[in-house]
Amino acid sequence: QVTLVESGGGLVQPGGSLRVSCTASGSVDSTYVRAWYRQAPGKQREFVASISTGNSITYADFAKGRFTISRSNVKNRVDLQMTSLQPEDTAVYSCRHSESRATCWGQGTQVTVSS
Protein backbone atom coordinates (compact mmCIF):
# COMPACT_ATOMS: atom_id res chain seq x y z
CA GLN A 1 0.00 0.00 0.00
CA VAL A 2 1.37 3.40 -1.07
CA THR A 3 0.04 6.76 0.05
CA LEU A 4 0.84 9.96 -1.87
CA VAL A 5 0.71 13.50 -0.53
CA GLU A 6 1.15 16.59 -2.71
CA SER A 7 2.23 19.94 -1.37
CA GLY A 8 3.49 23.34 -2.49
CA GLY A 9 0.46 24.64 -4.35
CA GLY A 10 -0.79 28.18 -3.96
CA LEU A 11 -1.31 31.52 -5.65
CA VAL A 12 1.34 32.93 -7.97
CA GLN A 13 1.41 35.90 -10.35
CA PRO A 14 1.79 35.42 -14.12
CA GLY A 15 5.45 34.90 -14.97
CA GLY A 16 6.18 33.56 -11.52
CA SER A 17 7.48 30.22 -10.33
CA LEU A 18 6.24 27.50 -8.02
CA ARG A 19 7.47 24.11 -6.86
CA VAL A 20 5.07 21.29 -6.05
CA SER A 21 6.15 18.08 -4.35
CA CYS A 22 4.90 14.52 -4.18
CA THR A 23 5.88 12.42 -1.19
CA ALA A 24 5.18 8.69 -0.99
CA SER A 25 4.85 6.54 2.09
CA GLY A 26 4.19 2.86 2.64
CA SER A 27 5.52 -0.14 0.73
CA VAL A 28 7.17 1.50 -2.27
CA ASP A 29 8.60 -0.86 -4.90
CA SER A 30 12.18 -0.58 -6.08
CA THR A 31 10.91 0.04 -9.62
CA TYR A 32 8.22 2.64 -10.35
CA VAL A 33 7.21 5.66 -12.38
CA ARG A 34 6.14 8.90 -10.69
CA ALA A 35 4.14 11.34 -12.78
CA TRP A 36 2.38 14.69 -12.51
CA TYR A 37 -1.02 15.36 -14.05
CA ARG A 38 -3.21 18.44 -13.91
CA GLN A 39 -6.89 19.20 -14.30
CA ALA A 40 -8.35 22.64 -14.89
CA PRO A 41 -12.02 23.44 -14.18
CA GLY A 42 -14.24 22.04 -16.91
CA LYS A 43 -11.39 20.19 -18.61
CA GLN A 44 -10.04 16.65 -18.72
CA ARG A 45 -7.05 15.66 -16.65
CA GLU A 46 -3.85 15.86 -18.70
CA PHE A 47 -0.32 14.53 -18.39
CA VAL A 48 2.42 16.97 -17.35
CA ALA A 49 5.66 15.06 -16.72
CA SER A 50 7.04 11.78 -15.40
CA ILE A 51 10.24 10.30 -14.02
CA SER A 52 11.18 6.67 -13.43
CA THR A 53 13.54 4.99 -10.99
CA GLY A 54 15.87 4.61 -13.98
CA ASN A 55 15.73 8.42 -14.41
CA SER A 56 13.85 8.29 -17.69
CA ILE A 57 12.03 11.64 -17.99
CA THR A 58 9.09 12.59 -20.19
CA TYR A 59 7.38 15.98 -20.61
CA ALA A 60 4.19 17.11 -22.23
CA ASP A 61 4.81 19.58 -25.04
CA PHE A 62 3.46 22.52 -23.05
CA ALA A 63 5.84 21.71 -20.18
CA LYS A 64 9.07 21.51 -22.16
CA GLY A 65 11.44 24.36 -21.33
CA ARG A 66 9.29 25.63 -18.45
CA PHE A 67 8.78 22.71 -16.08
CA THR A 68 11.40 20.44 -14.53
CA ILE A 69 10.67 17.14 -12.81
CA SER A 70 13.31 15.73 -10.49
CA ARG A 71 14.01 13.47 -7.55
CA SER A 72 14.38 15.34 -4.31
CA ASN A 73 17.14 14.85 -1.78
CA VAL A 74 14.30 13.95 0.55
CA LYS A 75 13.60 10.22 0.38
CA ASN A 76 10.52 9.17 -1.63
CA ARG A 77 9.82 12.71 -2.85
CA VAL A 78 9.56 13.93 -6.44
CA ASP A 79 9.41 17.65 -7.26
CA LEU A 80 7.96 19.59 -10.17
CA GLN A 81 9.54 23.02 -10.59
CA MET A 82 7.33 25.29 -12.68
CA THR A 83 8.50 28.60 -14.15
CA SER A 84 6.99 31.27 -16.41
CA LEU A 85 3.55 30.33 -15.14
CA GLN A 86 0.52 31.66 -16.98
CA PRO A 87 -3.20 31.72 -16.15
CA GLU A 88 -3.77 28.68 -18.36
CA ASP A 89 -1.55 26.71 -15.97
CA THR A 90 -4.17 27.10 -13.25
CA ALA A 91 -5.28 23.61 -12.23
CA VAL A 92 -5.24 20.96 -9.56
CA TYR A 93 -1.90 19.18 -9.87
CA SER A 94 -1.98 15.51 -8.89
CA CYS A 95 0.73 12.92 -8.44
CA ARG A 96 0.52 9.39 -9.85
CA HIS A 97 2.67 6.49 -8.65
CA SER A 98 2.77 3.46 -10.95
CA GLU A 99 4.15 0.05 -10.08
CA SER A 100 3.79 -3.27 -11.86
CA ARG A 101 1.02 -4.30 -9.50
CA ALA A 102 -0.95 -1.08 -9.07
CA THR A 103 -1.32 2.64 -9.69
CA CYS A 104 -2.00 5.15 -6.92
CA TRP A 105 -3.10 8.80 -6.98
CA GLY A 106 -2.70 11.63 -4.52
CA GLN A 107 -5.46 14.09 -3.68
CA GLY A 108 -3.86 16.96 -5.57
CA THR A 109 -2.71 20.48 -4.79
CA GLN A 110 -4.27 23.65 -6.20
CA VAL A 111 -2.11 25.95 -8.32
CA THR A 112 -3.66 29.31 -9.21
CA VAL A 113 -1.94 31.78 -11.54
CA SER A 114 -3.52 35.21 -11.28
CA SER A 115 -2.62 38.84 -10.73
Side-chain angles (χ1 to χ4, degrees), residues 2 5 19 24 27 31 79 115:
V2 176
V5 178
R19 184 192 301 273
S27 301
T31 301
D79 296 334
S115 59

Side-chain angles (χ1 to χ4, degrees), residues 14-31:
S17 300
L18 200 65
R19 184 192 301 273
V20 293
S21 299
C22 175
T23 303
S25 61
S27 301
V28 180
D29 269 0
S30 60
T31 301

Side-chain angles (χ1 to χ4, degrees), residues 34-107:
R34 195 79 58 81
W36 284 98
Y37 285 74
R38 70 183 187 183
Q39 186 169 24
K43 295 187 176 181
Q44 303 255 36
R45 183 153 59 187
E46 63 181 343
F47 171 80
V48 178
S50 66
I51 186 169
S52 72
T53 48
N55 291 323
S56 177
I57 296 175
T58 301
Y59 292 104
D61 286 342
F62 68 81
K64 294 177 180 177
R66 292 197 301 137
F67 296 179
T68 302
I69 190 169
S70 63
R71 300 189 181 282
S72 173
N73 291 329
V74 179
K75 186 177 294 184
N76 293 326
R77 197 181 88 185
V78 171
D79 296 334
L80 181 70
Q81 177 68 40
M82 301 180 287
T83 63
S84 301
L85 287 165
Q86 300 300 315
E88 57 263 35
D89 295 314
T90 295
V92 174
Y93 285 72
S94 300
C95 183
R96 186 197 71 184
H97 179 89
S98 298
E99 301 176 351
S100 61
R101 63 171 182 260
T103 296
C104 301
W105 288 88
Q107 293 300 305

